[in-house]
Amino acid sequence: MLIIGICGASGSGKSTLAQELCKAIGDGCTVINHDCYYRDHPNLSYEERCLLNYDEPDIFDHDLFLEDMRTLLSGQPITRKQYDYANHCRADSNELIYPCRVLIIEGIHVFYDERLLELMFLKLYMSVEPDVCLLRRISRDINERGRSIDSISMQYMTTVKPMFDKHIRNYIELADVIVAHGGKNARIVEILAGYVRHELQ
């Protein structure tokens, strides 16, 4: 199984590139989102969960994510992890994800854990202007996650931008390929898919 990691700022097009690349590679490719592995905080109230920093590395359960990747590499299935963004809590399912030929993992801190980096066949970093990322984030959070513009603005200024400046922008140094123009860059999708298919053969 080949693991491809896609990293970059929130709103940079990681999920879009993952889906487009998965379609281009074809059968035997699966996508897993790293942000389904936010740590759960059942002991906190909803108001307290709203105040957590969801952009810092430690908010993710890196050990569980690594364990699931190793399980897939060993040939065993895992259960699909999910997250309820509106209520800020885990919402895991019993759906099974089976080992595949190509696994694409994407997230803002998917390059954070050195143990996970060692498992990756290919590391992609999304390089997109911050103002474009912000506009995409606003649209996504309002339309898909039921967020208000005030909460999006406050979160961006207090956690999203500071964590990008401190951590995420530096992940570019770990990448094998830097992807410009977002996830719908058809030429890079075609090139990457061709490279992966060649490696599989």
Side-chain angles (χ1 to χ4, degrees):
M1 184 173 75
L2 301 180
I3 297 180
I4 300 174
I6 304 178
C7 190
S10 176
S12 60
K14 300 181 299 299
S15 297
T16 300
L17 178 64
Q19 295 298 334
E20 292 296 318
L21 186 54
C22 187
K23 287 191 295 185
I25 293 171
D27 292 339
C29 185
T30 300
V31 176
I32 294 180
N33 308 105
H34 192 215
D35 57 8
C36 290
Y37 286 77
Y38 279 124
R39 297 185 188 278
D40 207 9
H41 298 275
N43 57 312
L44 300 180
S45 68
Y46 170 76
E47 290 73 19
E48 290 172 323
R49 295 197 301 273
C50 288
L51 297 176
L52 293 174
N53 183 347
Y54 288 92
D55 295 275
E56 68 171 350
D58 288 342
I59 199 71
F60 295 92
D61 192 337
H62 297 284
D63 289 338
L64 177 60
F65 191 69
L66 180 67
E67 179 184 338
D68 276 358
M69 297 305 101
R70 287 174 171 169
T71 298
L72 288 172
L73 284 168
S74 73
Q76 300 299 314
I78 62 172
T79 56
R80 183 175 293 280
K81 310 305 185 291
Q82 294 178 323
Y83 196 78
D84 182 340
Y85 298 98
N87 295 300
H88 299 298
C89 60
R90 288 282 286 276
D92 296 349
S93 72
N94 293 322
E95 178 188 351
L96 292 179
I97 298 176
Y98 291 90
C100 51
R101 300 179 73 198
V102 180
L103 176 64
I104 302 176
I105 55 177
E106 62 89 5
I108 59 173
H109 289 298
V110 82
F111 288 178
Y112 175 77
D113 191 331
E114 293 182 0
R115 301 170 300 173
L116 185 62
L117 283 172
E118 293 175 356
L119 302 181
M120 294 183 195
F121 159 73
L122 187 62
K123 298 180 290 292
L124 312 177
Y125 183 89
M126 307 296 295
S127 180
V128 179
E129 289 296 322
D131 55 346
V132 175
C133 292
L134 175 57
L135 289 172
R136 290 174 177 169
R137 181 184 176 93
I138 291 171
S139 176
R140 179 202 66 193
D141 283 2
I142 290 175
N143 295 321
E144 298 179 17
R145 300 183 179 178
R147 303 277 304 283
S148 69
I149 190 67
D150 288 341
S151 69
I152 296 169
S153 176
M154 182 175 67
Q155 185 180 34
Y156 183 81
M157 295 306 298
T158 57
T159 66
V160 177
K161 188 177 187 303
M163 291 299 100
F164 174 79
D165 292 337
K166 183 177 181 180
H167 296 287
I168 301 167
R169 72 188 314 160
N170 299 318
Y171 293 144
I172 193 171
E173 299 174 5
L174 302 171
D176 300 310
V177 178
I178 298 170
V179 179
H181 310 303
K184 290 190 178 293
N185 187 333
R187 180 165 296 178
I188 194 67
V189 169
E190 180 182 348
I191 292 171
L192 290 171
Y195 173 63
V196 171
R197 285 194 296 265
H198 173 76
E199 289 298 313
L200 289 172
Q201 293 171 359

PDB file of all heavy atoms in Angstrom, residues 1-31:
ATOM      1  N   MET A   1       0.844  -1.200   0.000  1.00  0.00           N
ATOM      2  CA  MET A   1       0.000   0.000   0.000  1.00  0.00           C
ATOM      3  C   MET A   1       0.875   1.242   0.000  1.00  0.00           C
ATOM      4  O   MET A   1       1.773   1.372   0.841  1.00  0.00           O
ATOM      5  CB  MET A   1      -0.918   0.003   1.227  1.00  0.00           C
ATOM      6  CG  MET A   1      -1.906   1.163   1.249  1.00  0.00           C
ATOM      7  SD  MET A   1      -3.122   1.051   2.595  1.00  0.00           S
ATOM      8  CE  MET A   1      -2.108   1.517   3.995  1.00  0.00           C
ATOM      9  N   LEU A   2       0.617   2.150  -0.932  1.00  0.00           N
ATOM     10  CA  LEU A   2       1.340   3.421  -0.996  1.00  0.00           C
ATOM     11  C   LEU A   2       0.536   4.484  -0.257  1.00  0.00           C
ATOM     12  O   LEU A   2      -0.655   4.651  -0.496  1.00  0.00           O
ATOM     13  CB  LEU A   2       1.540   3.859  -2.448  1.00  0.00           C
ATOM     14  CG  LEU A   2       2.307   2.909  -3.369  1.00  0.00           C
ATOM     15  CD1 LEU A   2       2.413   3.505  -4.756  1.00  0.00           C
ATOM     16  CD2 LEU A   2       3.694   2.604  -2.809  1.00  0.00           C
ATOM     17  N   ILE A   3       1.196   5.200   0.653  1.00  0.00           N
ATOM     18  CA  ILE A   3       0.533   6.276   1.381  1.00  0.00           C
ATOM     19  C   ILE A   3       1.007   7.618   0.841  1.00  0.00           C
ATOM     20  O   ILE A   3       2.211   7.897   0.784  1.00  0.00           O
ATOM     21  CB  ILE A   3       0.825   6.188   2.895  1.00  0.00           C
ATOM     22  CG1 ILE A   3       0.251   4.890   3.476  1.00  0.00           C
ATOM     23  CG2 ILE A   3       0.233   7.389   3.613  1.00  0.00           C
ATOM     24  CD1 ILE A   3       0.491   4.729   4.966  1.00  0.00           C
ATOM     25  N   ILE A   4       0.049   8.451   0.449  1.00  0.00           N
ATOM     26  CA  ILE A   4       0.333   9.806  -0.032  1.00  0.00           C
ATOM     27  C   ILE A   4      -0.201  10.791   0.988  1.00  0.00           C
ATOM     28  O   ILE A   4      -1.374  10.742   1.366  1.00  0.00           O
ATOM     29  CB  ILE A   4      -0.325  10.062  -1.397  1.00  0.00           C
ATOM     30  CG1 ILE A   4       0.201   9.075  -2.438  1.00  0.00           C
ATOM     31  CG2 ILE A   4      -0.084  11.504  -1.849  1.00  0.00           C
ATOM     32  CD1 ILE A   4      -0.519   9.165  -3.776  1.00  0.00           C
ATOM     33  N   GLY A   5       0.646  11.697   1.469  1.00  0.00           N
ATOM     34  CA  GLY A   5       0.227  12.712   2.426  1.00  0.00           C
ATOM     35  C   GLY A   5       0.064  14.053   1.752  1.00  0.00           C
ATOM     36  O   GLY A   5       0.900  14.448   0.928  1.00  0.00           O
ATOM     37  N   ILE A   6      -1.021  14.750   2.078  1.00  0.00           N
ATOM     38  CA  ILE A   6      -1.270  16.086   1.535  1.00  0.00           C
ATOM     39  C   ILE A   6      -1.427  17.051   2.706  1.00  0.00           C
ATOM     40  O   ILE A   6      -2.312  16.884   3.541  1.00  0.00           O
ATOM     41  CB  ILE A   6      -2.523  16.135   0.648  1.00  0.00           C
ATOM     42  CG1 ILE A   6      -2.417  15.117  -0.484  1.00  0.00           C
ATOM     43  CG2 ILE A   6      -2.724  17.542   0.089  1.00  0.00           C
ATOM     44  CD1 ILE A   6      -3.650  15.060  -1.381  1.00  0.00           C
ATOM     45  N   CYS A   7      -0.573  18.057   2.758  1.00  0.00           N
ATOM     46  CA  CYS A   7      -0.556  19.013   3.863  1.00  0.00           C
ATOM     47  C   CYS A   7      -0.690  20.429   3.313  1.00  0.00           C
ATOM     48  O   CYS A   7      -0.463  20.680   2.129  1.00  0.00           O
ATOM     49  CB  CYS A   7       0.755  18.856   4.637  1.00  0.00           C
ATOM     50  SG  CYS A   7       0.838  19.757   6.193  1.00  0.00           S
ATOM     51  N   GLY A   8      -1.055  21.368   4.197  1.00  0.00           N
ATOM     52  CA  GLY A   8      -1.178  22.766   3.801  1.00  0.00           C
ATOM     53  C   GLY A   8      -2.161  23.492   4.689  1.00  0.00           C
ATOM     54  O   GLY A   8      -2.773  22.894   5.580  1.00  0.00           O
ATOM     55  N   ALA A   9      -2.313  24.762   4.443  1.00  0.00           N
ATOM     56  CA  ALA A   9      -3.183  25.596   5.267  1.00  0.00           C
ATOM     57  C   ALA A   9      -4.645  25.199   5.128  1.00  0.00           C
ATOM     58  O   ALA A   9      -5.052  24.559   4.151  1.00  0.00           O
ATOM     59  CB  ALA A   9      -3.019  27.064   4.870  1.00  0.00           C
ATOM     60  N   SER A  10      -5.438  25.562   6.121  1.00  0.00           N
ATOM     61  CA  SER A  10      -6.884  25.383   6.033  1.00  0.00           C
ATOM     62  C   SER A  10      -7.413  26.185   4.854  1.00  0.00           C
ATOM     63  O   SER A  10      -7.118  27.373   4.714  1.00  0.00           O
ATOM     64  CB  SER A  10      -7.530  25.878   7.337  1.00  0.00           C
ATOM     65  OG  SER A  10      -8.930  25.808   7.256  1.00  0.00           O
ATOM     66  N   GLY A  11      -8.177  25.519   3.979  1.00  0.00           N
ATOM     67  CA  GLY A  11      -8.719  26.198   2.806  1.00  0.00           C
ATOM     68  C   GLY A  11      -7.796  26.196   1.603  1.00  0.00           C
ATOM     69  O   GLY A  11      -8.099  26.834   0.593  1.00  0.00           O
ATOM     70  N   SER A  12      -6.690  25.469   1.685  1.00  0.00           N
ATOM     71  CA  SER A  12      -5.723  25.471   0.578  1.00  0.00           C
ATOM     72  C   SER A  12      -6.091  24.503  -0.539  1.00  0.00           C
ATOM     73  O   SER A  12      -5.458  24.520  -1.601  1.00  0.00           O
ATOM     74  CB  SER A  12      -4.314  25.151   1.094  1.00  0.00           C
ATOM     75  OG  SER A  12      -4.276  23.871   1.702  1.00  0.00           O
ATOM     76  N   GLY A  13      -7.085  23.643  -0.308  1.00  0.00           N
ATOM     77  CA  GLY A  13      -7.509  22.717  -1.348  1.00  0.00           C
ATOM     78  C   GLY A  13      -7.032  21.293  -1.142  1.00  0.00           C
ATOM     79  O   GLY A  13      -7.038  20.488  -2.084  1.00  0.00           O
ATOM     80  N   LYS A  14      -6.642  20.952   0.095  1.00  0.00           N
ATOM     81  CA  LYS A  14      -6.143  19.595   0.382  1.00  0.00           C
ATOM     82  C   LYS A  14      -7.185  18.523   0.082  1.00  0.00           C
ATOM     83  O   LYS A  14      -6.891  17.537  -0.592  1.00  0.00           O
ATOM     84  CB  LYS A  14      -5.728  19.493   1.859  1.00  0.00           C
ATOM     85  CG  LYS A  14      -4.629  20.439   2.286  1.00  0.00           C
ATOM     86  CD  LYS A  14      -4.276  20.263   3.746  1.00  0.00           C
ATOM     87  CE  LYS A  14      -5.439  20.551   4.686  1.00  0.00           C
ATOM     88  NZ  LYS A  14      -5.938  21.936   4.600  1.00  0.00           N
ATOM     89  N   SER A  15      -8.405  18.731   0.587  1.00  0.00           N
ATOM     90  CA  SER A  15      -9.464  17.731   0.383  1.00  0.00           C
ATOM     91  C   SER A  15      -9.819  17.608  -1.090  1.00  0.00           C
ATOM     92  O   SER A  15     -10.043  16.493  -1.592  1.00  0.00           O
ATOM     93  CB  SER A  15     -10.712  18.110   1.189  1.00  0.00           C
ATOM     94  OG  SER A  15     -10.443  18.115   2.571  1.00  0.00           O
ATOM     95  N   THR A  16      -9.853  18.735  -1.791  1.00  0.00           N
ATOM     96  CA  THR A  16     -10.172  18.715  -3.217  1.00  0.00           C
ATOM     97  C   THR A  16      -9.116  17.958  -3.995  1.00  0.00           C
ATOM     98  O   THR A  16      -9.433  17.107  -4.843  1.00  0.00           O
ATOM     99  CB  THR A  16     -10.300  20.146  -3.762  1.00  0.00           C
ATOM    100  OG1 THR A  16     -11.333  20.826  -3.057  1.00  0.00           O
ATOM    101  CG2 THR A  16     -10.625  20.131  -5.254  1.00  0.00           C
ATOM    102  N   LEU A  17      -7.845  18.250  -3.713  1.00  0.00           N
ATOM    103  CA  LEU A  17      -6.771  17.535  -4.407  1.00  0.00           C
ATOM    104  C   LEU A  17      -6.829  16.048  -4.096  1.00  0.00           C
ATOM    105  O   LEU A  17      -6.656  15.212  -4.993  1.00  0.00           O
ATOM    106  CB  LEU A  17      -5.404  18.095  -4.005  1.00  0.00           C
ATOM    107  CG  LEU A  17      -4.207  17.379  -4.651  1.00  0.00           C
ATOM    108  CD1 LEU A  17      -4.224  17.559  -6.161  1.00  0.00           C
ATOM    109  CD2 LEU A  17      -2.887  17.865  -4.059  1.00  0.00           C
ATOM    110  N   ALA A  18      -7.095  15.698  -2.832  1.00  0.00           N
ATOM    111  CA  ALA A  18      -7.176  14.296  -2.453  1.00  0.00           C
ATOM    112  C   ALA A  18      -8.257  13.576  -3.255  1.00  0.00           C
ATOM    113  O   ALA A  18      -8.026  12.473  -3.766  1.00  0.00           O
ATOM    114  CB  ALA A  18      -7.453  14.173  -0.955  1.00  0.00           C
ATOM    115  N   GLN A  19      -9.431  14.192  -3.366  1.00  0.00           N
ATOM    116  CA  GLN A  19     -10.534  13.564  -4.099  1.00  0.00           C
ATOM    117  C   GLN A  19     -10.234  13.494  -5.596  1.00  0.00           C
ATOM    118  O   GLN A  19     -10.513  12.472  -6.247  1.00  0.00           O
ATOM    119  CB  GLN A  19     -11.829  14.340  -3.851  1.00  0.00           C
ATOM    120  CG  GLN A  19     -12.322  14.299  -2.409  1.00  0.00           C
ATOM    121  CD  GLN A  19     -12.668  12.902  -1.934  1.00  0.00           C
ATOM    122  OE1 GLN A  19     -12.999  12.027  -2.739  1.00  0.00           O
ATOM    123  NE2 GLN A  19     -12.595  12.680  -0.627  1.00  0.00           N
ATOM    124  N   GLU A  20      -9.681  14.577  -6.155  1.00  0.00           N
ATOM    125  CA  GLU A  20      -9.364  14.586  -7.588  1.00  0.00           C
ATOM    126  C   GLU A  20      -8.283  13.557  -7.911  1.00  0.00           C
ATOM    127  O   GLU A  20      -8.367  12.845  -8.917  1.00  0.00           O
ATOM    128  CB  GLU A  20      -8.897  15.983  -8.008  1.00  0.00           C
ATOM    129  CG  GLU A  20      -9.968  17.054  -7.957  1.00  0.00           C
ATOM    130  CD  GLU A  20     -11.096  16.791  -8.945  1.00  0.00           C
ATOM    131  OE1 GLU A  20     -10.797  16.397 -10.103  1.00  0.00           O
ATOM    132  OE2 GLU A  20     -12.269  16.972  -8.572  1.00  0.00           O
ATOM    133  N   LEU A  21      -7.279  13.462  -7.054  1.00  0.00           N
ATOM    134  CA  LEU A  21      -6.201  12.501  -7.282  1.00  0.00           C
ATOM    135  C   LEU A  21      -6.709  11.074  -7.118  1.00  0.00           C
ATOM    136  O   LEU A  21      -6.336  10.179  -7.880  1.00  0.00           O
ATOM    137  CB  LEU A  21      -5.056  12.780  -6.299  1.00  0.00           C
ATOM    138  CG  LEU A  21      -3.773  11.973  -6.469  1.00  0.00           C
ATOM    139  CD1 LEU A  21      -3.230  12.087  -7.887  1.00  0.00           C
ATOM    140  CD2 LEU A  21      -2.727  12.438  -5.458  1.00  0.00           C
ATOM    141  N   CYS A  22      -7.585  10.865  -6.150  1.00  0.00           N
ATOM    142  CA  CYS A  22      -8.170   9.542  -5.936  1.00  0.00           C
ATOM    143  C   CYS A  22      -8.944   9.090  -7.173  1.00  0.00           C
ATOM    144  O   CYS A  22      -8.823   7.945  -7.620  1.00  0.00           O
ATOM    145  CB  CYS A  22      -9.067   9.572  -4.706  1.00  0.00           C
ATOM    146  SG  CYS A  22      -9.714   7.958  -4.200  1.00  0.00           S
ATOM    147  N   LYS A  23      -9.742   9.996  -7.736  1.00  0.00           N
ATOM    148  CA  LYS A  23     -10.502   9.672  -8.945  1.00  0.00           C
ATOM    149  C   LYS A  23      -9.571   9.368 -10.113  1.00  0.00           C
ATOM    150  O   LYS A  23      -9.827   8.458 -10.916  1.00  0.00           O
ATOM    151  CB  LYS A  23     -11.444  10.822  -9.304  1.00  0.00           C
ATOM    152  CG  LYS A  23     -12.643  10.952  -8.389  1.00  0.00           C
ATOM    153  CD  LYS A  23     -13.681  11.924  -8.949  1.00  0.00           C
ATOM    154  CE  LYS A  23     -13.136  13.334  -9.013  1.00  0.00           C
ATOM    155  NZ  LYS A  23     -14.176  14.313  -9.448  1.00  0.00           N
ATOM    156  N   ALA A  24      -8.484  10.146 -10.229  1.00  0.00           N
ATOM    157  CA  ALA A  24      -7.566   9.963 -11.349  1.00  0.00           C
ATOM    158  C   ALA A  24      -6.787   8.659 -11.233  1.00  0.00           C
ATOM    159  O   ALA A  24      -6.494   8.010 -12.246  1.00  0.00           O
ATOM    160  CB  ALA A  24      -6.595  11.148 -11.424  1.00  0.00           C
ATOM    161  N   ILE A  25      -6.457   8.248 -10.024  1.00  0.00           N
ATOM    162  CA  ILE A  25      -5.740   6.991  -9.819  1.00  0.00           C
ATOM    163  C   ILE A  25      -6.654   5.806 -10.116  1.00  0.00           C
ATOM    164  O   ILE A  25      -6.240   4.810 -10.698  1.00  0.00           O
ATOM    165  CB  ILE A  25      -5.176   6.905  -8.389  1.00  0.00           C
ATOM    166  CG1 ILE A  25      -4.077   7.952  -8.207  1.00  0.00           C
ATOM    167  CG2 ILE A  25      -4.638   5.507  -8.081  1.00  0.00           C
ATOM    168  CD1 ILE A  25      -3.592   8.111  -6.786  1.00  0.00           C
ATOM    169  N   GLY A  26      -7.917   5.938  -9.703  1.00  0.00           N
ATOM    170  CA  GLY A  26      -8.896   4.899 -10.022  1.00  0.00           C
ATOM    171  C   GLY A  26      -9.113   3.905  -8.905  1.00  0.00           C
ATOM    172  O   GLY A  26      -8.888   4.199  -7.729  1.00  0.00           O
ATOM    173  N   ASP A  27      -9.569   2.714  -9.262  1.00  0.00           N
ATOM    174  CA  ASP A  27      -9.903   1.686  -8.277  1.00  0.00           C
ATOM    175  C   ASP A  27      -8.718   1.385  -7.367  1.00  0.00           C
ATOM    176  O   ASP A  27      -7.562   1.399  -7.800  1.00  0.00           O
ATOM    177  CB  ASP A  27     -10.337   0.402  -8.978  1.00  0.00           C
ATOM    178  CG  ASP A  27     -11.663   0.570  -9.709  1.00  0.00           C
ATOM    179  OD1 ASP A  27     -12.407   1.506  -9.362  1.00  0.00           O
ATOM    180  OD2 ASP A  27     -11.933  -0.233 -10.620  1.00  0.00           O
ATOM    181  N   GLY A  28      -9.034   1.119  -6.108  1.00  0.00           N
ATOM    182  CA  GLY A  28      -7.991   0.765  -5.166  1.00  0.00           C
ATOM    183  C   GLY A  28      -7.372   1.946  -4.457  1.00  0.00           C
ATOM    184  O   GLY A  28      -6.316   1.814  -3.827  1.00  0.00           O
ATOM    185  N   CYS A  29      -8.044   3.100  -4.518  1.00  0.00           N
ATOM    186  CA  CYS A  29      -7.541   4.301  -3.847  1.00  0.00           C
ATOM    187  C   CYS A  29      -8.582   4.778  -2.828  1.00  0.00           C
ATOM    188  O   CYS A  29      -9.779   4.805  -3.123  1.00  0.00           O
ATOM    189  CB  CYS A  29      -7.242   5.408  -4.851  1.00  0.00           C
ATOM    190  SG  CYS A  29      -6.491   6.884  -4.117  1.00  0.00           S
ATOM    191  N   THR A  30      -8.137   5.160  -1.641  1.00  0.00           N
ATOM    192  CA  THR A  30      -9.012   5.612  -0.567  1.00  0.00           C
ATOM    193  C   THR A  30      -8.452   6.890   0.044  1.00  0.00           C
ATOM    194  O   THR A  30      -7.232   7.073   0.095  1.00  0.00           O
ATOM    195  CB  THR A  30      -9.127   4.532   0.532  1.00  0.00           C
ATOM    196  OG1 THR A  30      -9.666   3.337  -0.036  1.00  0.00           O
ATOM    197  CG2 THR A  30     -10.028   4.989   1.672  1.00  0.00           C
ATOM    198  N   VAL A  31      -9.358   7.761   0.511  1.00  0.00           N
ATOM    199  CA  VAL A  31      -8.957   9.017   1.160  1.00  0.00           C
ATOM    200  C   VAL A  31      -9.382   8.988   2.623  1.00  0.00           C
ATOM    201  O   VAL A  31     -10.513   8.603   2.941  1.00  0.00           O
ATOM    202  CB  VAL A  31      -9.596  10.240   0.467  1.00  0.00           C
ATOM    203  CG1 VAL A  31      -9.253  11.529   1.223  1.00  0.00           C
ATOM    204  CG2 VAL A  31      -9.143  10.343  -0.981  1.00  0.00           C
TER     205      VAL A  31
END
